[in-house]
């Protein structure tokens, strides 16, 4: 028996004029039926004319454009979302010229200006002398995959945000403060602009918890955090430093401006009017504050700056609490 030669994929995606002559019971018709019954959409483009030799009829049910409206590559490119078009077209053309099989994900437009996420898988067909002859590919609907990716990204971003948030007060936590401190320190060193910090501690908070209970203590911390956030500016970092300690990181802020912010923080806490009968410096909840300003130099580090502000806070507490100490 004569040896049967393997069929080429491009033979199965011949132009419509060739397909109409196929015998309904022939092997060609079987291949065509298989191609047109899959969810993937087959297509073929003639390289010399840049016109579609074939595109599967499934294209209409997926994108809404009639099968016979896909005439040339201009129809393909014009139906790509404007935000994706230049990148996708330039990439696909460059890869095709180089003879490299490739894939591209993009949003394909529908007639009502909606879109469907498509993955185009492209095979470059060359002739016997190595010249590009045609492009053969499949379009896949990846909308559901993109939706899942988007949901996973949102979840990841939410988890990342939570990792930088204090669980009780919902302001930045110590981890977030440490990360922002390093960034602000480096920026201040490059710009030569001052960086200030306010470290504060709620006075006699242990006695407050012992007298009123930890639940009320938590409510007090939340109220203080909200008051500090209202004082802090948009560029400032307001964080819970630990326990009953809070910190404000003030980029591009000199000593005079930092002291003014600290005074407003102290007043905002007192204005809450939270009773604290365990305090010997005020009948209400108050705070002691340390205020420091630095012009970072190459031989200085952020940790040393924090330690210096912590010493100022300790000095304010040693001097009788309910006051601020700057240096």
């Amino acid at each position: 028996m004569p040896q049967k030669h393997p069929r080429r994929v491009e033979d199965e995606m011949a132009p419509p004029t060739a397909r109409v002559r196929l015998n309904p019971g022939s092997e060609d018709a079987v291949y065509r039926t298989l191609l047109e019954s899959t969810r993937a959409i087959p297509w073929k483009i003639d390289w010399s004319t840049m016109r579609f030799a074939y595109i599967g009829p499934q294209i209409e049910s997926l994108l809404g454009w009639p099968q016979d409206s896909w005439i040339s590559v201009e129809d393909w490119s014009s139906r790509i979302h404007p935000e994706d078009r230049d990148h996708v077209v330039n990439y696909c053309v460059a890869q095709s010229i180089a003879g490299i099989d490739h894939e591209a994900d993009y949003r394909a437009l529908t007639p009502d200006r909606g879109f469907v996420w498509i993955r185009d898988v492209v095979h470059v067909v060359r002739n016997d002398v190595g010249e590009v002859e045609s492009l053969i590919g499949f379009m896949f609907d990846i909308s559901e995959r993109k939706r899942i990716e988007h949901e996973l990204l949102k979840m990841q971003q939410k988890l990342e945000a939570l990792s930088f948030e204090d669980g009780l007060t919902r302001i930045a936590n110590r981890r977030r403060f440490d990360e922002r401190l390093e960034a602000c320190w480096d920026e201040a060193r490059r710009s030569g602009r001052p960086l200030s910090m306010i470290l504060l501690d709620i006075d006699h908070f242990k006695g407050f918890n012992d007298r009123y209970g930890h639940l009320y203590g938590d409510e007090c911390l939340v109220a203080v955090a909200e008051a500090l956030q209202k004082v802090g500016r948009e560029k400032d970092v307001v964080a819970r430093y630990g326990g009953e300690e809070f910190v404000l990181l003030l980029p591009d802020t000199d000593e005079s401006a930092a002291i003014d912010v600290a005074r407003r923080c102290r007043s905002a806490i007192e204005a809450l009017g939270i009773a604290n009968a365990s305090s010997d410096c005020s009948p209400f909840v108050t705070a002691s504050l340390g205020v420091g300003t630095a012009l970072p130099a190459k031989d200085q580090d952020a940790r040393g700056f924090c330690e210096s502000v912590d010493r100022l806070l300790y000095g304010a507490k040693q001097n009788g609490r309910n006051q601020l100490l700057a240096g």
Side-chain angles (χ1 to χ4, degrees), residues 12 18 33 37 51 88 94 129 148 151 174 180 222 226 228 236 280 301:
E12 313 309 333
T33 300
S37 64
R51 294 172 70 85
V88 171
V129 295
I148 294 173
E151 291 300 319
R174 176 65 179 270
R180 292 302 304 146
V222 171
E226 290 176 350
L228 294 177
D236 300 335
D280 61 8
D301 59 34

Side-chain angles (χ1 to χ4, degrees), residues 229-242:
Q229 275 194 304
K230 291 177 181 178
V231 174
R233 303 160 300 181
E234 185 176 354
K235 65 181 179 179
D236 300 335
V237 179
V238 181
R240 187 178 178 191
Y241 198 69

Side-chain angles (χ1 to χ4, degrees), residues 231-303:
V231 174
R233 303 160 300 181
E234 185 176 354
K235 65 181 179 179
D236 300 335
V237 179
V238 181
R240 187 178 178 191
Y241 198 69
E244 66 271 23
E245 287 189 324
F246 294 85
V247 62
L248 283 81
L249 190 61
L250 314 175
D252 195 19
T253 305
D254 61 22
E255 183 179 43
S256 175
I259 291 174
D260 179 65
V261 173
R263 285 173 176 157
R264 288 191 283 121
C265 287
R266 180 168 170 256
S267 297
I269 293 172
E270 278 196 290
L272 293 173
I274 302 174
N276 185 7
S278 64
S279 174
D280 61 8
C281 59
S282 172
F284 302 104
V285 166
T286 59
S288 300
L289 305 90
V291 186
T293 300
L295 289 170
K298 290 184 178 180
D299 59 344
Q300 294 178 300
D301 59 34
R303 182 177 178 179

